[in-house]
Amino acid sequence: MKYLPEFDKQTGEALAKELHRQQTTLEMIPSENFVSMAVLEALGSVATNKYAEGYPGKRYYGGCEHIDTIEQLAIDRAKKLFGADHVNVQPLSGAPANIAVYFALLEPGDTILGMDLSHGGHLTHGHPVTHMAKIFNFVRYKANIETGKIDFDQLREMAIEHKPKLILAGYSAYPRDLDYKAFQKIADEVGAMTMADVAHLAGMIAAGELNNPVPIFDVVTTTTHKTLRGPRGGMIMCKKKHAKKIDKSIFPGLQGGPHENVIAAKAVAFKEALQPDFKEYAKQIKTNAKALAENLLKHDFKLITGGTDNHLLLIDVTNKNVSGHQAEQALDAAGITVNKNMIPDDPRSPLDPSGIRLGTPALTTRGMHESEMKTIGNWINEAIDNHDNSVVLEHIKSEIAELTKKFPLYNEL
Ligand SMILES: *Cc1c(COP(=O)(O)O)cnc(C)c1O
């Protein structure tokens, strides 16, 4: 940074410290990642100055010719990545993307069948604390409590009973792949539309490492900043027949001017995701998650569903005599960033649940492989065993700072 620290010392210092934190700790929050320098450049570009309400070729402002080029690039690349009929790259984030879909396809009071939050569903899928829960009637299916996997028999029974207009698949704490055809079959049976929210999975779907709902479902929403490794933002993909409604729902229905600097960064990230090495990346995310799972199982950690097919692990830490919050804090002190998380039918509260959730996308971006996962699993075990021993936690933190030096991040900054 050249200009900012001079003009604004406080913000500059905090940003410098944040960079240092990202460089020297292990980022294991499964929804986080490190974008490339090219994506950062697009984010910090002059495209932030431009108002461009409307869509490419149909804007409400003059001077949009170059912005149109940028937005069209993002759209075309996303179509290619996911095999989508229609793409809207304007959603400001994952939450507004979901809200826009509900209002595009449904009337207030309509029923949506989505996954229970404690079973891995997302807040934006109708949690009682959200505004959407006041507008639409959300009913919730669950995963099988024994296996942790989606119980399609129960889902079908609920669909027949509640006659939802929309069936929602897609989670933020579910460590398995999804059988989208099975959802679609049930939806067809009861005359419901289908929506997948692949916020966590998009990068791995784009790389062909997880099942792709886009050719099957009516609508698919995603964030662009998780495994897709782009800027913080959202995106909606849909079948041709829903295209007009989806676009109108984003603008003018919900949003104003699109953030074209972010859309430029999306275009760059999608180009990156189309390269052959992105496929290698997505594959390694999975290999690393499996290696970490294997190590943690050896240390007697209880993994929900017994393992992982994707990039994340959900761990019930009750048998380790800590709460999710205590585990998160101990790992934080040791230089490992994770988040506490509810486990299915968690008897504890969301602020101090029974589990933690961790993932490998960011570490894999740094270039780490199976051998590092093994070391990290050992550290996680040691930190949780010694959650009240600050000497041990400090020691792990210094070892982690050493390890991270071998996997440089943002040396250019
Ligand atoms: C992260 C996430 C979202 C929300 O995305 P934001 O960009 O934080 O608004 C929505 N759905 C799922 C499944 C997610 O994991």
Side-chain angles (χ1 to χ4, degrees):
M1 277 186 291
K2 209 159 122 194
Y3 302 98
L4 191 151
E6 209 165 284
F7 172 70
D8 181 350
K9 200 159 172 265
Q10 292 148 300
T11 307
E13 261 177 28
L15 278 172
K17 282 182 184 162
E18 173 59 14
L19 173 62
H20 184 255
R21 186 192 70 81
Q22 292 187 13
Q23 287 169 328
T24 55
T25 61
L26 295 176
E27 184 49 73
M28 298 192 76
I29 295 174
S31 47
E32 294 192 13
N33 215 328
F34 301 115
V35 301
S36 69
M37 288 304 296
V39 168
L40 275 187
E41 273 181 2
L43 269 177
S45 70
V46 295
T48 194
N49 297 328
K50 190 71 197 95
Y51 249 111
E53 282 177 1
Y55 290 100
K58 287 165 290 190
R59 304 284 190 181
Y60 291 81
Y61 286 81
C64 286
E65 58 270 33
H66 308 303
I67 294 300
D68 278 4
T69 304
I70 290 167
E71 189 165 333
Q72 197 59 50
L73 277 172
I75 291 167
D76 292 343
R77 288 171 182 170
K79 280 186 178 172
K80 196 165 168 198
L81 267 179
F82 294 94
D85 287 354
H86 180 77
V87 176
N88 187 311
V89 293
Q90 292 191 1
L92 301 178
S93 216
N98 287 348
I99 292 169
V101 173
Y102 302 149
F103 280 98
L105 302 182
L106 308 172
E107 296 298 327
D110 280 351
T111 299
I112 303 172
L113 182 55
M115 172 87 102
D116 189 274
L117 186 69
S118 81
H119 287 241
H122 191 260
L123 272 174
T124 58
H125 300 173
H127 192 277
V129 300
T130 64
H131 297 323
M132 289 310 109
K134 294 182 197 151
I135 311 238
F136 301 104
N137 173 38
F138 287 91
V139 285
R140 274 160 257 284
Y141 60 95
K142 292 186 169 187
N144 178 304
I145 200 77
E146 296 296 318
T147 64
K149 297 188 185 172
I150 289 161
D151 183 344
F152 282 104
D153 291 333
Q154 188 224 17
L155 176 63
R156 182 169 172 272
E157 275 168 32
M158 288 192 73
I160 290 168
E161 183 190 342
H162 295 282
K163 295 252 167 296
K165 251 199 172 166
L166 184 68
I167 294 179
L168 184 44
Y171 323 103
S172 45
Y174 185 71
R176 298 293 175 180
D177 201 354
L178 295 172
D179 181 355
Y180 297 102
K181 286 194 185 121
F183 283 99
Q184 188 62 49
K185 197 166 160 234
I186 293 169
D188 288 343
E189 194 180 337
V190 300
M193 288 177 283
T194 44
M195 166 178 170
D197 174 352
V198 299
H200 265 257
L201 312 175
M204 303 170 79
I205 292 170
E209 290 297 316
L210 288 175
N211 295 331
N212 183 5
V214 174
I216 304 166
F217 272 34
D218 284 293
V219 182
V220 178
T221 60
T222 185
T223 62
T224 49
H225 51 274
K226 296 180 185 176
T227 53
L228 197 47
R229 207 163 61 181
R232 192 158 291 281
M235 175 161 83
I236 305 173
M237 296 168 274
C238 67
K239 293 268 182 294
K240 263 250 136 45
K241 63 179 175 192
H242 302 300
K244 270 209 176 95
K245 280 186 179 171
I246 291 289
D247 284 353
K248 273 190 174 165
S249 186
I250 282 289
F251 176 83
L254 182 68
Q255 295 184 175
H259 295 187
E260 294 292 347
N261 58 321
V262 181
I263 291 174
K266 286 174 186 173
V268 175
F270 298 162
K271 177 160 184 176
E272 290 174 354
L274 283 164
Q275 307 306 310
D277 61 353
F278 192 83
K279 192 167 168 53
E280 289 309 308
Y281 166 63
K283 200 180 225 156
Q284 191 62 45
I285 292 177
K286 262 167 73 170
T287 307
N288 282 349
K290 281 201 169 37
L292 185 64
E294 215 171 278
N295 180 279
L296 291 174
L297 285 169
K298 273 191 203 140
H299 289 301
D300 197 29
F301 277 93
K302 193 174 163 230
L303 306 194
I304 303 296
T305 78
T308 178
D309 292 332
N310 57 27
H311 63 301
L312 70 81
L313 319 179
L314 183 60
I315 306 174
D316 177 354
V317 290
T318 312
N319 67 334
K320 298 290 180 181
N321 301 314
V322 288
S323 69
H325 179 65
Q326 284 172 315
E328 178 193 282
Q329 294 223 302
L331 292 170
D332 221 2
I336 301 172
T337 315
V338 305
N339 66 282
K340 57 181 176 283
N341 213 96
M342 303 272 271
I343 59 166
D345 291 341
D346 202 321
R348 301 178 61 97
S349 77
L351 275 178
D352 195 9
S354 303
I356 54 172
R357 187 187 68 153
L358 44 90
T360 55
L363 297 184
T364 307
T365 293
R366 290 193 77 155
M368 294 186 189
H369 287 89
E370 294 94 304
S371 63
E372 284 79 33
M373 295 306 122
K374 212 168 141 187
T375 312
I376 291 166
N378 294 342
W379 280 331
I380 289 172
N381 182 51
E382 195 184 348
I384 289 179
D385 269 353
N386 294 280
H387 66 277
D388 47 12
N389 186 336
S390 58
V391 178
V392 173
L393 298 177
E394 270 302 319
H395 180 68
I396 298 172
K397 192 171 186 175
S398 63
E399 288 189 311
I400 285 175
E402 275 310 306
L403 176 76
T404 57
K405 281 185 197 154
K406 290 190 219 144
F407 299 91
L409 180 70
Y410 298 133
N411 269 354
E412 305 88 335
L413 293 178

